[in-house]
Amino acid sequence: MNANAPILPLLIPLAAALLQMASGRASFQRAVGLLATALLVLVTGWLTLLADDGLLRVYALGDWPAPFGIVLVVDRLAAAMTLLTAVLGFLVLLYASAGFDEEGIHFHPLFQFQLLGLLGAFLTGDLFNLFVFFEIMLLASYVLLAHGGGLTRTRAGISYVVLNLVGSALFLIALGLIYGTLGTLNLADVARVLTLPGYDRALARLAFALLITVFALKAGLLPLSFWLPHTYSAAGAPVAALFAIMTKVGIVAILRVQVIALEPAMPDLLDNWLTILALATVAFAALGALAASRLHALVAWLVLLSAGTLLVTPAQANSEVTAAALYYLLQSTLAGAAFFLLAGLIAEQRGKAADQFMAGPPLPATWLKIAFLLAATTAASLPPFSGFVGKLMLLTSTREVAAGPAIWVVVLISGFIVMAALARDGCALIWKHKAAGTPMPGQPVGWQRATATVLLIAAGPLLAIGARPLSDYATRTAAQLHAPGAYVTGVLGAGAMSTGDEARP
């Protein structure tokens, strides 16, 4: 069973989607989806526990060994990202099952295909199959973005599709250049070949620069990030909450390619420019949050800000920085998703005012006000919640790096701007009422939506309480990631590289 563990997270959503397409009954599709995602949480949790022994688990599809066949690779990072995806997917689907899923057709199978693409992108050990899983993820997201209809979503969907089609074309060009130059697309084999002489180094640098650019587009790096706030703010609350992890796919891809393949052979490829653009993204997102006129848009800018903060990491090539970034990635993903779900509930309760920062009827439910305060405190990185812990870990780890002073200045100033924006806008949503304002009946908040929102918001204090074991796991994950020789040996077998790295860090 352990030998087949890496394939299970892919089989579950694939089987669920096929079952859902076999029946058009909404109740059947909903039940299958919830059961499948609950099972996915259990399987990925088990996989994460297995991966913590430090061994690399490689699954060769069709029993074709790497680099000739397709391989799935499970290390601590891949396992943790699949667990995060599964937990987020289950809670978002629980929220959507309260009626949002009925606003359009084929929501449930598309949701499972979205999970399939996300999980596959984290598990694959092959650059071409990373492209395949990216496309599965994006094809599902195109339709999910338009779920529920409306002119705003249609416009956002068109620009989102066009931009990602351009990105996909560039992705294929980059893969063609890499294969033509190195003769392989398996990541471990790419790392091996890059350490050998005999290839066109200039062409290889161009190919990887293009590949990193595509990943940066997916992650929302400035100046390729203008699409993200508009797209995320236009999506329905559950879809936007699931999209909160999509930028992390590009970030993890950059980090993995940089540490495993580029750092040993091209350590200067990301120097200067990535950190500069990442900090520019943080500043841009903070100003966007300050200028936002509605809560959905504000949260979209916060997602972009977290992506920019994380994109500082790959250029540092530092295990301590990576460990801090992994904790920050976990908490920022859950915090962003929670805020999107909460924004959807608040918009329903305020009538025509919706989630705009303007005077409106008082919120009828006290727990929504408390939930907003908790979500805003986490997003603003205020103590004692996980946002503060994650940012403190990240800043502490960058004290000794060359770009440390710039990182501190930009991150701290942007944090103050976000804090001011959330304080101002929270007052408008919660305490600024119309002169004759009385609570409106609002839409009933069913147990599914309330449970999903509360659990995601509760992650803020819970991740702070469990910060020590989580940071220890992140430290072990970063140490394993920063041992590229161990990755290459685990995938290709002993003797693939003549480095002194241990096979089990």
Side-chain angles (χ1 to χ4, degrees), residues 138-326:
L138 291 172
L139 286 171
S141 70
Y142 296 155
V143 187
L144 289 175
L145 173 60
H147 183 79
L151 182 60
T152 302
R153 290 178 187 172
T154 301
R155 286 175 174 172
I158 291 173
S159 59
Y160 178 67
V161 169
V162 171
L163 191 63
N164 278 286
L165 286 177
V166 173
S168 297
L170 293 177
F171 201 161
L172 280 177
I173 293 172
L175 293 180
L177 289 173
I178 292 171
Y179 188 78
T181 305
L182 305 179
T184 182
L185 290 174
N186 180 278
L187 181 58
D189 202 36
V190 165
R192 181 189 67 83
V193 175
L194 283 175
T195 62
L196 303 175
Y199 65 90
D200 189 329
R201 186 175 178 82
L203 191 57
R205 286 179 65 88
L206 173 63
F208 280 104
L210 189 57
L211 185 67
I212 296 297
T213 300
V214 173
F215 294 154
L217 170 64
K218 310 297 184 184
L221 181 72
L222 200 72
L224 306 173
S225 58
F226 293 100
W227 62 273
L228 192 150
H230 177 57
T231 300
Y232 281 36
S233 61
V239 174
L242 184 62
F243 281 10
I245 200 172
M246 285 181 61
T247 55
K248 311 308 187 290
V249 177
I251 293 167
V252 171
I254 292 175
L255 183 61
R256 193 176 284 281
V257 171
Q258 162 65 8
V259 172
I260 294 174
L262 300 183
E263 182 61 27
M266 304 177 186
D268 60 336
L269 186 63
L270 302 185
D271 279 1
N272 301 321
W273 70 269
L274 182 59
T275 300
I276 292 171
L277 291 181
L279 293 177
T281 303
V282 173
F284 176 62
L287 295 175
L290 190 63
S293 60
R294 49 190 290 262
L295 187 55
H296 265 92
L298 172 60
V299 181
W301 284 107
L302 293 180
V303 170
L304 179 60
L305 187 145
S306 69
T309 304
L310 288 167
L311 283 166
V312 170
T313 307
Q316 310 311 318
N318 183 310
S319 180
E320 185 183 358
V321 176
T322 301
L326 292 177

Side-chain angles (χ1 to χ4, degrees), residues 307-347:
T309 304
L310 288 167
L311 283 166
V312 170
T313 307
Q316 310 311 318
N318 183 310
S319 180
E320 185 183 358
V321 176
T322 301
L326 292 177
Y327 179 89
Y328 184 83
L329 184 153
L330 170 64
Q331 73 84 23
S332 62
T333 301
L334 296 178
F339 228 151
F340 274 125
L341 297 186
L342 182 62
L345 295 181
I346 289 175

Side-chain angles (χ1 to χ4, degrees), residues 367-390:
W367 75 269
L368 286 175
K369 302 175 185 178
I370 298 173
F372 179 87
L373 292 175
L374 293 176
T377 302
T378 302
S381 301
L382 294 175
F385 298 148
S386 59
F388 171 77
V389 176

